[in-house]
Amino acid sequence: MSTYGALLDRVNRVSGVRGSMVVALDDGLVVEEELMVGVPGDAAAALVASIFRRARRSVQAAEFGAARFVQVEGDDGLLFAAAPPELGDLLLVVVAESWVNVGLVRLEAAKVVEALG
Amino acid sequence: MSPSPQQLRQWSEEVAADPGSPAFLPLARYYREAGRIDAAQRLVVRGLERHPNDVEAHHLLGLLYQDGGDEVKAFDEWDIALALAPEHHGSRRQLAFLCHARGDLEAAERHLEKALEGDFEDHEVRALLEEVYAAKRAGRPQRRRPPAAGETAASAAPSPEAPARAAAPPPPVAAVTSPVETAPSAARLPPSAAAADSPGWGGGSAFDVLQGELRAVGAERGMLGAVMLDPQGYVVAGEMHAGGRDRGPEIAAVLSPASSEAERAVRHLKLGGWKGILVETPDAVIRLTPTADGGMVAVAGRRDVPMGWVLRVAGRARDAAARFVAAMGGGTP
């Protein structure tokens, strides 16, 4: 298992997480993924990267600083995307059930980011 | 049953040592029963900062806001409780009574029917639902009178959960039902809203009310502003300040297409309908929620205030926008 894979595995241990990915922010391509069967990784990566880029442009236009974290919520699940400076042009993307403990996912994601940095 | 002095002391010590201790909830309930509404409110707000998903705490905070006459905040808290636990009977019935008191029969009917599904033996809910059916059959508008000066909202609408100090029996339904719409507590509305006619709230045009509510959201602790955007990306109402000026139009222009992107993303991943987006920067937290007419509400808060607070304030802006859309005939709250 690659370095990324081992770290994603750590995020995936949180109850309710359906998978996680490292995604290139600029083109939305998957760098590494650890997803449950049935989660369309490529599509999720492209869509989340696109939403993240738009959110980043928006908050920069409003002079709120650079977007570091984006969470998209659906009735039945959540998408997280984290892009701290340590990851350069990479995004950590997590797909989770709606009942997931968001705080725990964020904590694990922060640990992963720290390890990657 | 009242807690023993020993139990009370234990709860107090636990909360004093750790405001996030689960003991904040029974202690706050006790304070409410004792009529110490402010102290109870402070306890629950602090507890929710540590436990933002505690359904019972949101429900209790709603009751406390209602005790204090703040129906808007009470509505938000019960709405949050139901978002976290759709089967929560207490919050469902409180929302039903509140919607009925506001004259929103459609929403009241919806909540009452669900509340009755949860507890078929709830006679108060059943009686009010029959009253709503009758009013709709008769095709007449129906609105309970708003609380008079000095009277709490809790006593104007039936609420078996009101504390002992506010436990005066509610007036008979016939006595509080009036086809005449009267302005709700003017203190909660901006002056412009309280002055003019309103199709939805009985005070101020729908726009004035929305503008006033979004400004009130923007004036909350640590908030940077709130704007409602229409489906084309124009600002409908509100403002969002950064760098000393209103950034609402910029945000609207860039964010408008995010709604369809988010919808596509959650649909593709089979995550249901999209409910919102949260964006964090080192300086700010921005919350986006869709409106029933295809637009969005954007609320921003400073990064140094708790996330749970920003989300709860954002919930108020979302509800205000939903009421505006409903008043304009574009959807239901």
Side-chain angles (χ1 to χ4, degrees), chain B residues 1 18-19 44 55 74 76 84 102 109 143 165 167 202 226 230 252 277 297 303 311 325 333:
Chain B
M1 195 175 81
D18 172 15
V44 180
V55 177
D76 289 344
L84 293 168
R102 287 174 171 179
E109 181 182 359
R143 174 164 292 206
R165 65 167 187 81
D230 74 4
I277 300 177
V297 175
R303 191 65 192 87
L311 293 179
V325 171

Side-chain angles (χ1 to χ4, degrees), chain A residues 63-64 68 73 76 106, chain B residues 247 271 275 280-281 287:
Chain A
E63 296 186 9
F64 285 145
R68 296 265 175 92
E73 297 156 27
D76 304 322
R106 292 178 58 145
Chain B
R247 300 287 179 176
L271 300 180
K275 290 199 316 190
E280 278 182 60
T281 77
R287 173 71 166 167

Side-chain angles (χ1 to χ4, degrees), chain A residues 18 40 43-44 47 50-51 54-55 57-59 62-77 79 106, chain B residues 224 242 247 251 254-255 257-258 261-262 265 268-269 271-283 286-287 307:
Chain A
R18 296 172 63 196
L47 289 165
S50 173
I51 291 172
R54 183 171 298 285
R57 279 204 304 278
S58 169
V59 295
E63 296 186 9
F64 285 145
R68 296 265 175 92
F69 180 88
V70 172
Q71 178 177 317
V72 181
E73 297 156 27
D75 289 324
D76 304 322
L79 285 170
R106 292 178 58 145
Chain B
L224 297 165
R247 300 287 179 176
I251 290 195
V254 188
L255 272 185
E261 280 187 36
H268 202 85
L269 292 169
L271 300 180
W274 89 280
K275 290 199 316 190
I277 300 177
L278 186 69
V279 183
E280 278 182 60
T281 77
D283 304 320
I286 300 101
R287 173 71 166 167
M307 176 82 72

Side-chain angles (χ1 to χ4, degrees), chain A residues 64, chain B residues 217-218 220-226 240-241 251 278-287 298-307 309-311 313-314:
Chain A
F64 285 145
Chain B
V217 163
E220 286 283 5
R221 178 173 64 98
M223 302 307 293
L224 297 165
M240 189 169 283
H241 291 278
I251 290 195
L278 186 69
V279 183
E280 278 182 60
T281 77
D283 304 320
V285 178
I286 300 101
R287 173 71 166 167
V299 176
R302 288 202 317 265
R303 191 65 192 87
D304 57 351
V305 294
M307 176 82 72
W309 172 250
V310 176
L311 293 179
V313 173

